[in-house]
Amino acid sequence: MRVWLRHNRTGFCIAVAALLTACSAAPTPEAPPTPERSAAPTTETAAGLSPVAVQVAYDMAQAPFDEPRQALVPPGWTLSVWARMSKPRLAAWTPDGALLISVPSTGEVVVLRPTDGSPTQDVLLEGLDQPHGLAFAGDSLYVAESDQVDVYDYTEGRAINRRTVAGDLPDANSPDLRGAYSHALKSVAVGEDGAVYFSIGSTGNISADDRDANPPRATIMRVPPGGGTAEAFATGVRNGTGLAVAPDGSVWTAVNNRDNVVDPATGRPDPEYVDEHPPESVARLTPGRELGWPYCNPDGGPANLPLIRDVQTNADGSEMDCEALPPIEQSLGAHAAPLGMSFTDAVLPAPYASGALIGVHGSWNREPPRAPEVSYFAWRDGGLGDQQTLVGGFQSEDGARWGRPVAAVAGPDGAVYITDDYADAVYRLAPPR
């Protein structure tokens, strides 16, 4: 029997053969009309990219760089190992030109300061609960921990005067969850008006009780400008780890959608169907937006994806009218596992001057695994174009991989800085001079 894995998007896998058994033992629901199986976007190919050797200094050439590595990048661009550090996750540039990186595994936020050679590394904040999301609004630094969101004054290279923006957020230490939380890491973004947005992931793959929790899980929350009570801004967001503000001020999320979805045609989690369904969502958020989880799943793509009934959780459509939901604006291939999301700000050369960068961690629960990469979505007329691969080559044809990007942010020097918590590295992707 093929055992499926549910990837919790933070680097841990849980076997769910029991879930598969439960699904197959359940009565087969009446299936809705079989959706057209249009091809979801894939990341195995990287049209227009060129292979380059990953540049690495001798003192940073530990595994996986103890042997030559090759990546796919735009022609004329280079990729180098800029820094080595353990399990770097999300990143943000400071007003004074340093790069902050969250390290949930150690409870730290690390600051990397560029020099003529390798950057210097120092701990900016420590003793935090799984810090993940980082965002600046002027000189205010917002940090999303697993159980709260705080803001600091960033001054003279220090983060001081900590204030809590939203507290008592659910994580594995919440008494009612008894240690069971698959998506505890949270992301944060700050709107042009000063409103603070943060993600709360679902406790599991299918955990509909999250929708009625207080605060609701599987949501994007909003704290109004100047502070106040956090309220749900978007619901049905299984794990919206990607969270960013676009050039026009709109808020977007990149979502890790559910695993082991039942094939509407058979009522069973058919492996071939599961490999390509559902696509991962990249959606513009508006007040009250509903993304459907766990009752509706996006289908087709790559753009303007309709939502269809999940026949395991919403067989007769009584839980939610999926057809009434607005289509999902953009997508990535099923189980791509998008993590960090950011927008470029006219510091990169065309055709990458304005668009979204998304770190694609790559799947575990697909055969072969969805390949890790850095994806790019061009910003056009207030929306996002189709997914393009900006950096690939982290995975071979047999599924073996040497790196897994988490986040990519454009730097003030016109390069892109990429965190990789699998290779324990920060890369610098530089365009031609």
Side-chain angles (χ1 to χ4, degrees):
M1 178 183 72
R2 186 176 181 181
V3 177
W4 288 92
L5 299 177
R6 184 185 75 237
H7 181 217
N8 71 1
R9 319 302 191 190
T10 61
F12 301 93
C13 294
I14 304 173
V16 292
L19 176 61
L20 182 62
T21 302
C23 293
S24 60
T28 302
E30 180 183 353
T34 302
E36 181 181 351
R37 295 195 183 187
S38 55
T42 62
T43 58
E44 279 81 2
T45 59
L49 301 185
S50 299
V52 297
V54 178
Q55 302 171 9
V56 55
Y58 177 79
D59 60 350
M60 292 190 285
Q62 302 83 28
F65 306 106
D66 53 348
E67 60 182 273
R69 298 295 177 182
Q70 192 174 76
L72 298 172
V73 302
W77 293 52
T78 60
L79 186 71
S80 60
V81 177
W82 189 62
R84 299 300 304 270
M85 57 185 296
S86 177
K87 301 187 185 320
R89 293 288 288 189
L90 300 191
W93 286 94
T94 69
D96 60 354
L99 184 63
L100 299 187
I101 296 179
S102 62
V103 189
S105 61
T106 63
E108 298 174 332
V109 175
V110 174
V111 56
L112 303 182
R113 297 190 180 279
T115 66
D116 291 338
S118 300
T120 63
Q121 294 190 34
D122 294 293
V123 175
L124 180 74
L125 296 168
E126 59 186 342
L128 306 183
D129 290 324
Q130 299 182 90
H132 197 235
L134 304 170
F136 274 95
D139 291 328
S140 296
L141 167 62
Y142 292 81
V143 179
E145 300 181 57
S146 63
D147 58 353
Q148 63 189 47
V149 177
D150 293 324
V151 60
Y152 300 79
D153 295 329
Y154 184 82
T155 179
E156 297 180 349
R158 298 180 300 141
I160 60 173
N161 192 22
R162 172 177 175 171
R163 292 94 67 199
T164 297
V165 175
D168 298 321
L169 304 181
D171 65 6
N173 292 319
S174 300
D176 58 324
L177 297 177
R178 298 184 294 278
Y181 207 126
S182 294
H183 306 126
L185 299 182
K186 296 169 175 65
S187 299
V188 64
V190 184
E192 292 182 341
D193 62 354
V196 179
Y197 301 85
F198 61 92
S199 62
I200 300 181
S202 67
T203 57
N205 185 35
I206 308 171
S207 43
D209 290 348
D210 288 339
R211 297 180 64 96
D212 299 320
N214 184 24
R217 301 182 286 269
T219 58
I220 302 297
M221 304 292 287
R222 179 182 183 271
V223 178
T229 301
E231 297 183 348
F233 187 70
T235 53
V237 186
R238 180 179 176 272
N239 189 21
T241 302
L243 190 61
V245 177
D248 66 351
S250 58
V251 181
W252 289 72
T253 185
V255 186
N256 289 232
N257 283 323
R258 62 157 295 187
D259 299 322
N260 299 304
V261 65
V262 168
D263 186 342
T266 65
R268 297 188 298 272
D270 176 69
E272 291 185 2
Y273 187 84
V274 169
D275 277 354
E276 302 300 335
H277 297 84
E280 310 282 44
S281 301
V282 180
R284 177 199 296 269
L285 302 182
T286 54
R289 177 88 189 258
E290 173 61 61
L291 296 189
W293 176 89
Y295 303 122
C296 307
N297 300 307
D299 185 69
N304 300 316
L305 292 77
L307 287 110
I308 63 171
R309 279 182 279 151
D310 187 310
V311 299
Q312 186 176 351
T313 63
N314 188 26
D316 60 2
S318 61
E319 296 289 349
M320 186 172 291
D321 183 358
C322 304
E323 293 182 358
L325 298 180
I328 304 298
E329 285 79 0
Q330 271 296 344
S331 67
L332 290 152
H335 317 298
L339 295 180
M341 182 177 188
S342 67
F343 281 86
T344 60
D345 189 20
V347 298
L348 301 181
Y352 307 107
S354 183
L357 298 170
I358 297 179
V360 174
H361 214 216
S363 64
W364 286 93
N365 57 334
R366 184 182 185 274
E367 193 61 42
R370 187 75 66 184
E373 67 167 58
V374 176
S375 291
Y376 177 79
F377 295 77
W379 179 255
R380 303 189 185 109
D381 302 321
L384 292 176
D386 294 349
Q387 178 265 346
Q388 306 171 54
T389 301
L390 180 64
V391 186
F394 298 95
Q395 178 173 298
S396 59
E397 291 184 0
D398 64 1
R401 50 177 60 139
W402 56 266
R404 303 185 75 190
V406 176
V409 292
D413 60 348
V416 176
Y417 291 78
I418 303 162
T419 60
D420 184 331
D421 65 350
Y422 188 79
D424 291 339
V426 181
Y427 308 113
R428 181 178 185 268
L429 174 70
R433 294 182 178 178

